[in-house]
Amino acid sequence: MTALSERLVTTLGARVTDAGVVFAVWAPHAREVRVVGDFTGWDPDDGLPMRQVAGVWEVLAPDAREGDRYRYRILGADGRRRDKADPFARHTEIPPRTASVVYRSSYTWGDDAWMARRARRDPHREPMSVYEVHLGSWRPGLGYRELADELVRYVRDTGFTHVEFLPVMEHPFGGSWGYQVTGYFAPTARFGSPDEFRTLVDALHRAGIGVLLDWVPAHFPRDDWALGRFDGTPLYEHAGTRGEHPDWGTYVFDHGRHEVRAFLIANALYWCEEFHADGLRVDAVASMLYLDYSRGPGEWLPNRYGGNHDLDAISLLRELTTAVRREWPDVLLVAEESTAFPGVTADVADGGLGFAFKWNMGWMHDTLTHLGREPERRGAHRHELTAPLSYAWSERYVLPISHDEVVHGKGSLTGKMPGDAGHRLAGTRALLAWMWAYPGKKLLFMGAELGDEREWSHERGLDWTLLDDPARAGLHRLVADLNAAYRGIPALWAQDGTPAGFRWIGDQDGGADVVAFARIAPDGGTLVCVANLSATPREHRVGLPAAGRWAEVLNTDAHAYGGSGVAGTGGPHTEHVPWNGLPVSAVLRVPPLGVLWLRPA
């Protein structure tokens, strides 16, 4: 942690002492600051005057206690008086109320074994399948403590290695799903206290499940009681039009300001230190990298070299990844970055941004486009499946089927598939089996494993009654079996980051409905994935890297998964017929809209 970042965390906010509570807030351009709260009676003419030293206002409130609500009453440089929430508040009122709350943690962690194991791991050579969760709509009405039982049990039983939470940092508008943050240091009070959130993280760790948190350093909402125009000036945000995001109606952080950079880096490290986060998924990185992001001609100014890169934001991201790697080398930083910006996961010393992983948005777009086509039209567009391999090792990737793909009229994952209900579920099973075999870590948004036909809405919970339908219960079982097989087969993850872990083995020029590849472990262990994306059974010859009998690991068309039960290959014997550069091959019977996984028997 930088010296300034460390000082911000330890000195700003509300600190409980034996003599009362010390309040401190950064507002360098304010004319006057008072703290008001339960301990002052909230009198509009009252409040404790604060003393300024080098832009920081501070006061000891001897009558304040843990649990008291408070705000800062700031007379800004513009002559306006505003009541502001504390940017460093550790706890808040339950929205829509907006006061900050004095809080001191008393939690004792029980995840020492998990943290010790985490420190020894190499995430790039281990399995990683992530269940992305919006806490408010997974099972509405559950708080952190209930989720520590029900969500933990569900994720463990379904076999995911990690969960990723849409932002848990406090936010006033539920419809933002947490991506418009007003309380960067406070877990949302909607589901309980900060220590109750610690209980949830602790329970996940003790069950062997990692925790990733979505984190938003690009922008923040304009609510008058929050960060915006904090001391009567653009303090946290850029001044002028550069400080306003045209798509989201939010303020853009001034990433070139030393104190703002320290605020953001201190916040990232705070979630690692105080809440044992195993990773931060950094939201909207593309919007940070480019000065002309969502801006037309005349709406932006080039950098000092005449280009469109935001040099301040790039510098911040490098400083961030360096600081996290130094303080928490086993914490993962994942970039949601949708462009071809080079070196997102390259080391900072080599000119990169230093992230551990990047979301593979190109793979997501091409794959969903392909599976959304009518089966008879897919053969002419095979490049949508094969082209992503041309850049699969340019970065370290996560394959995301995220919340963004099932909102705003895009339809649910199953709803994207063509055909009747049976075909749509078959397409969903095929997609997931293809994804779990493909190079890259996995991320799936909650509800996709249920086969819901409805687009996700934060205003209602997942429809768990879908599991009463045998076909959807089969899809759910498939996800659990994919996770179990994936975790147990090193070929599927030990060489994700190198072309040595992948080989096409099917006929890439003919048989356009069938696509086949092999995943290869460092010791030569192999898994073969064969996909028939047509609506009729196919026989297809593929080259195989080892002679003898091969065993069927998984068939997405099996009755157990809600499929038709059309026979798969049944475990073929190889023939001494060279194929695609391999010495032996076999003719496989591949079910319609089906995917087979095979291993040497």
Side-chain angles (χ1 to χ4, degrees):
M1 187 182 298
T2 67
L4 179 56
S5 295
E6 184 174 17
R7 185 169 68 85
L8 291 180
V9 169
T10 57
T11 61
L12 296 182
R15 304 191 315 279
V16 180
T17 71
D18 292 340
V21 178
V22 176
F23 295 92
V25 63
W26 178 55
H29 306 110
R31 300 179 187 177
E32 176 189 89
V33 181
R34 292 172 176 261
V35 62
V36 297
D38 291 332
F39 46 91
T40 69
W42 294 99
D43 190 319
D45 299 319
D46 204 351
L48 296 177
M50 305 178 76
R51 180 173 62 92
Q52 180 186 192
V53 177
V56 174
W57 299 77
E58 188 176 67
V59 69
L60 169 66
D63 297 327
R65 298 289 183 269
E66 187 173 349
D68 281 351
R69 300 167 300 155
Y70 68 99
R71 293 189 181 92
Y72 296 118
R73 185 157 293 160
I74 299 176
L75 179 60
D78 57 359
R80 281 190 56 195
R81 198 176 298 275
R82 301 172 175 86
D83 279 4
K84 290 286 191 177
D86 186 350
F88 282 83
R90 271 51 167 184
H91 193 23
T92 71
E93 289 189 291
I94 300 173
R97 295 183 300 235
T98 60
S100 303
V101 177
V102 178
Y103 191 83
R104 178 171 55 179
S105 174
S106 60
Y107 191 77
T108 301
W109 288 88
D111 64 348
D112 290 352
W114 167 268
M115 298 294 278
R117 288 196 303 272
R118 192 183 81 178
R120 299 191 297 267
R121 289 174 171 168
D122 180 353
H124 298 112
R125 293 176 174 85
E126 295 193 359
M128 182 176 175
S129 62
V130 183
Y131 187 58
E132 190 188 28
V133 177
H134 176 260
L135 286 174
S137 61
W138 185 74
R139 286 190 187 272
L142 300 185
Y144 294 130
R145 287 192 177 277
E146 294 81 12
L147 288 162
D149 178 27
E150 296 192 30
L151 177 63
V152 171
R153 183 171 60 250
Y154 180 81
V155 174
R156 182 193 61 212
D157 292 348
T158 315
F160 289 93
T161 66
H162 292 71
V163 295
E164 178 175 318
F165 294 139
L166 274 61
V168 298
M169 301 78 185
E170 193 60 88
H171 52 283
F173 176 48
S176 78
W177 313 325
Y179 290 100
Q180 296 196 9
V181 179
T182 51
Y184 272 81
F185 289 81
T188 179
R190 290 169 172 84
F191 313 117
S193 71
D195 276 357
E196 289 173 322
F197 179 65
R198 289 178 173 91
T199 299
L200 172 57
V201 176
D202 203 1
L204 285 160
H205 283 173
R206 285 185 280 112
I209 300 162
V211 179
L212 310 178
L213 304 177
D214 280 12
W215 184 64
V216 190
H219 63 118
F220 59 90
R222 302 167 65 102
D223 301 74
D224 198 46
W225 50 269
L227 290 179
R229 305 299 192 262
F230 191 78
D231 62 358
T233 70
L235 188 63
Y236 287 87
E237 67 271 34
H238 276 287
T241 56
R242 185 177 174 186
E244 299 182 12
H245 198 287
D247 288 347
W248 303 319
T250 51
Y251 287 134
V252 177
F253 276 111
D254 184 351
H255 296 117
R257 186 163 194 161
H258 187 46
E259 296 87 349
V260 173
R261 295 161 73 94
F263 171 82
L264 291 170
I265 292 170
N267 183 248
L269 293 171
Y270 179 80
W271 289 95
C272 302
E273 171 77 31
E274 290 293 324
F275 296 98
H276 291 199
D278 301 296
L280 300 175
R281 178 269 201 183
V282 182
D283 181 63
V285 170
S287 77
M288 300 173 66
L289 294 176
Y290 299 97
L291 295 166
D292 59 347
Y293 185 91
S294 289
R295 300 178 191 272
E299 297 177 343
W300 63 282
L301 296 175
N303 63 34
R304 61 180 176 271
Y305 302 113
N308 67 339
H309 287 166
D310 188 329
L311 303 180
D312 290 336
I314 292 170
S315 174
L316 165 71
L317 292 171
R318 288 173 172 154
E319 187 178 350
L320 166 73
T321 58
T322 300
V324 171
R325 180 172 293 185
R326 180 178 62 247
E327 298 295 323
W328 294 97
D330 50 353
V331 167
L332 304 176
L333 291 180
V334 182
E336 187 220 5
E337 204 288 301
S338 55
T339 75
F341 189 91
V344 173
T345 59
D347 288 344
V348 170
D350 297 327
L353 296 183
F355 285 90
F357 293 104
K358 169 181 170 173
W359 275 19
N360 193 336
M361 310 294 275
W363 171 89
M364 175 275 299
H365 177 270
D366 287 350
T367 303
L368 291 183
T369 296
H370 190 79
L371 271 294
R373 297 184 186 279
E374 295 292 336
E376 62 271 17
R377 299 180 181 273
R378 290 173 180 162
H381 301 275
R382 176 182 281 201
H383 64 279
E384 292 164 344
L385 292 182
T386 59
L389 264 297
S390 66
Y391 57 83
W393 300 283
S394 61
E395 302 276 7
R396 294 174 173 135
Y397 282 119
V398 172
L399 310 180
I401 303 294
S402 75
H403 66 281
D404 279 331
E405 308 318 312
V406 294
V407 293
H408 302 317
K410 297 177 186 176
S412 71
L413 184 62
T414 296
K416 295 177 189 296
M417 304 298 163
D420 61 21
H423 283 91
R424 290 195 297 273
L425 285 170
T428 306
R429 295 192 300 269
L431 167 63
L432 295 178
W434 174 268
M435 172 182 174
W436 255 247
Y438 196 91
K441 310 310 180 187
K442 326 300 175 189
L443 180 139
L444 187 68
F445 185 56
M446 64 179 202
E449 77 278 17
L450 306 179
D452 199 338
E453 298 276 0
R454 300 179 304 169
E455 185 174 273
W456 172 67
S457 170
H458 71 279
E459 296 179 339
R460 64 170 183 265
L462 299 184
D463 185 359
W464 295 100
T465 66
L466 291 170
L467 293 178
D468 296 333
D469 173 13
R472 287 172 169 80
L475 174 61
H476 183 270
R477 178 176 176 177
L478 172 68
V479 172
D481 285 356
L482 286 171
N483 276 326
Y486 170 69
R487 294 174 79 151
I489 301 176
L492 291 174
W493 40 262
Q495 295 197 107
D496 267 337
T498 169
F502 180 92
R503 177 170 183 164
W504 292 114
I505 60 170
D507 182 354
Q508 298 307 302
D509 298 317
D513 292 325
V514 180
V515 189
F517 60 81
R519 298 299 310 280
I520 306 161
D523 65 359
T526 304
L527 180 129
V528 164
C529 175
V530 185
N532 172 18
L533 301 180
S534 75
T536 56
R538 299 291 193 208
E539 289 196 350
H540 190 74
R541 182 176 293 276
V542 297
L544 293 171
R549 185 174 179 82
W550 284 66
E552 189 174 279
V553 177
L554 182 141
N555 175 356
T556 64
D557 198 48
H559 279 307
Y561 303 138
S564 65
V566 172
T569 180
H573 281 284
T574 56
E575 305 172 46
H576 289 285
V577 177
W579 203 260
N580 282 81
L582 292 169
V584 297
S585 61
V587 175
L588 306 180
R589 297 188 304 277
V590 194
L593 300 176
V595 172
L596 304 178
W597 284 11
L598 306 170
R599 295 180 76 186

